Each structure stands twice: as C-alpha cells, then as structure tokens.
Amino acid sequence: DLHLRAAEWFQDRDAVLYAEHLGQAGSVKAPAAFLQASRAEADAYRVDRALEFAERGLALLTADAERFDLTAHKADLLRELGRPADGVGAWEEALTFAETDRQRCLAWIGIAAAERLMGLGERGLNVLDEAEAVARRDGMEKELAEIFYYRGSAAFFSAQIEQCLGLQHEALSHARLAGSYEWEAVALGGLADAEYARGRM
C-alpha cells in the first residue's frame, strides 16, 4: 500500500521512481510504467538503463497485451547499443506477439533496420516489401520514409548510386508528408552520402 501511494505521488514527477514503486507493489500497471521509464531513459541517451527497464517490464508481464510494445522497444535499444543480431532476434520475437498489421509492419521495419547494420541482405529487402504493402494501405507516411531510406541505404552499399538517390528522394517526400523532422533529416543524410559518392561535393 505504501509503494502504491509513493507511485501515485511520483506519477507525474519521475517516470523511473513511478515504475520502481509500482514494481515493488506488484501492480498490474508496472510493465507499462517500466516501458515509460525505459523510453524516458532512452530519450536522455542512457540506453543501457533503458534496456534494463524494458527487461524488467517484460519480466513482470502476466498477460500479452503489452508484450509487443515492450519487446519492440527492447529490440530498438539493442540495435542502438550496437547489438544488431540481438536486435533482429528481439524483433522476430516481437513479431510473434503482433496482433495487428500495423504491429507486423513495425516489426518488419525493425528487422530491416537491425539487418542494415550487418549489411542489408535479401531477407531485409523482402521484409521491407511486406512492410510497404501495409504502410501504403494504411497511409503510414513515416514508416514509408523509413522503408525507402533503408532501401536507399542498401542501394548505396551496393554502389547503385542513381537508384539510391531516387529512393532517398522518395524517403524525403514521405517524411515531409508525415511531418517527421527526424526522418526528413535522415533522408537528407542519405541524399548527402549519395551526392558525395558521385562527386557532387
């Protein structure tokens, strides 16, 4: 009871302590709180701690309702920590918990993002095809920006520079439609690499 009262006090003050107290209280709200705390730590670039909180949230789950979100978040953190193979494994696990096409789309993009760090191969490109079908159908512009960026990266690494330029322009267009400054910057970075590669300093 005291932990629940402490959690209530910390709810809008400190995401980490809110999660910690819910965990100590054995609350069913604890897994979601640990996901919130993990995201807060990741936003503060404390990725190791973010991964710890994601794993603690997963350990407390008693139902599958939040398992996809926590596993997907863990997969992204593993990629950011330079562990792309572990990230692919976590995304594949998340895919087994996906209940909607949108979640499956996010998992496929996550697999491709992790595989990009290992040299995006045929499998990574194939899952992007599956993701694109869902993203186009559901108007997921930010996800389309990600899809075309990863395809452009694959073209860049295989020295198909003109194809890379076209794909990165497509990524930029979708990022702008989504209003995503982050992915607009990423796509511009892809374009910059391609222009550099063809000597357009």
Side-chain angles (χ1 to χ4, degrees):
D1 287 344
L2 288 171
H3 279 300
L4 287 173
R5 288 170 63 187
E8 184 178 353
W9 193 85
F10 280 118
Q11 183 170 5
D12 298 319
R13 294 177 170 88
D14 188 310
V16 170
L17 289 174
Y18 174 61
E20 293 277 10
H21 282 290
L22 286 178
Q24 290 293 328
S27 170
V28 294
K29 296 179 181 178
F34 274 111
L35 175 58
Q36 180 184 344
S38 179
R39 286 175 171 159
E41 291 297 287
D43 288 344
Y45 303 102
R46 293 187 286 267
V47 184
D48 285 312
R49 274 173 59 82
L51 179 60
E52 175 193 337
F53 289 133
E55 289 174 337
R56 287 177 67 183
L58 282 165
L60 292 169
L61 281 174
T62 56
D64 286 342
E66 294 149 338
R67 199 171 295 277
F68 175 85
D69 288 341
L70 269 162
T71 307
H73 182 60
K74 175 184 174 180
D76 264 343
L77 294 172
L78 288 166
R79 176 178 54 81
E80 288 183 30
L81 285 167
R83 296 166 56 186
D86 292 335
V88 169
W91 273 117
E92 288 172 340
E93 185 181 0
L95 194 54
T96 67
F97 301 128
E99 296 179 342
T100 66
D101 284 344
R102 180 180 181 83
Q103 288 178 330
R104 282 182 276 275
C105 177
L106 296 176
W108 289 324
I109 293 171
I111 289 169
E115 289 201 349
R116 171 179 168 267
L117 299 181
M118 302 183 290
L120 186 64
E122 184 176 346
R123 181 185 176 230
L125 292 171
N126 287 341
V127 295
L128 286 178
D129 290 342
E130 295 185 78
E132 183 185 354
V134 175
R136 284 197 181 279
R137 186 195 69 198
D138 294 351
M140 299 163 65
E141 294 294 343
K142 183 180 80 69
E143 286 72 20
L144 285 167
E146 296 179 53
I147 290 165
F148 280 98
Y149 171 76
Y150 294 130
R151 283 187 180 145
S153 293
F156 178 83
F157 288 119
S158 61
Q160 299 172 302
I161 303 305
E162 294 301 323
Q163 183 182 1
C164 172
L165 282 166
L167 290 165
Q168 297 296 8
H169 275 295
E170 188 83 11
L172 182 62
S173 174
H174 286 295
R176 286 175 172 164
L177 286 171
S180 172
Y181 296 124
E182 176 185 1
W183 280 96
E184 186 174 345
V186 171
L188 287 167
L191 285 168
D193 285 342
E195 295 290 8
Y196 177 83
R198 68 174 183 164
R200 297 281 295 274
M201 307 306 172

